[in-house]
Amino acid sequence: MRTEALAVALFPGHGGVDSVSLCRPSEVVLSKPERASRLKQVRLLAQLSQPALESIGEACLWREFSAGTQILDYQEPSTDVYFLVHGRVRVIIYSHDGTAVVFTDLAGGSVFGEIAAVDRKPRSASVEAVEACTVASLTSEQF
């Protein structure tokens, strides 16, 4: 299957390879104190104690995404919660004709994916990295 055909099959309505990267994220290796320090920058977690942040940091899956990489896909059945510790992402939906409808851009310190973790329904929007970003995620059960 050609790369463009694969992109359209995986990301319908996105207009092909140029609009969304097919790159896989890379795992991030950080020490326990580094993870806690980065999580402290997330507004939702900022008031937690150092031991609590270290515990959450150990439970998280840490990944880096390149600019243009899709992190979540609209209607995806996953329920993980994401802590954006560095970078910027765009919350977006694509119409059937490929037109982008942007809901918002989120910067480091934000949380996304929490709606699906609570209501257990498919993703209500896609999330794409606007710039290189570092993300820590928890399963809905861990959250």
Side-chain angles (χ1 to χ4, degrees):
M1 181 179 273
R2 287 185 25 232
T3 305
E4 187 163 334
L6 176 63
V8 171
L10 292 175
F11 308 113
H14 288 268
V17 176
D18 293 336
S19 60
V20 178
S21 171
L22 298 177
C23 297
R24 293 199 176 272
S26 58
E27 273 197 56
V28 178
V29 179
L30 299 169
S31 69
K32 191 182 274 192
E34 287 175 310
R35 289 176 181 211
S37 174
R38 293 201 183 186
L39 287 175
K40 186 120 182 120
Q41 298 169 17
V42 175
R43 289 180 289 281
L44 180 67
L45 307 175
Q47 299 303 313
L48 294 177
S49 68
Q50 183 71 15
L53 289 168
E54 288 178 0
S55 178
I56 293 168
E58 286 297 305
C60 285
L61 174 59
W62 291 78
R63 293 177 286 184
E64 290 181 339
F65 293 88
S66 301
T69 302
Q70 185 163 17
I71 300 170
L72 293 176
D73 192 19
Y74 173 69
Q75 294 296 307
E76 183 178 319
S78 69
T79 57
D80 292 354
V81 177
Y82 295 80
F83 305 109
L84 180 60
V85 295
H86 172 75
R88 194 164 53 99
V89 299
R90 178 162 293 146
V91 181
I92 192 168
I93 284 184
Y94 290 89
S95 68
H96 291 292
D97 68 1
T99 304
V101 178
V102 176
F103 290 114
T104 191
D105 282 2
L106 301 172
S110 299
V111 177
F112 60 93
E114 72 283 3
I115 294 171
V118 173
D119 70 13
R120 300 279 202 226
K121 293 183 180 173
R123 298 293 180 179
S124 57
S126 295
V127 177
E128 300 170 1
V130 174
E131 59 189 41
C133 58
T134 303
V135 176
S137 62
L138 288 174
T139 65
S140 57
E141 292 77 18
Q142 293 170 311
F143 183 68

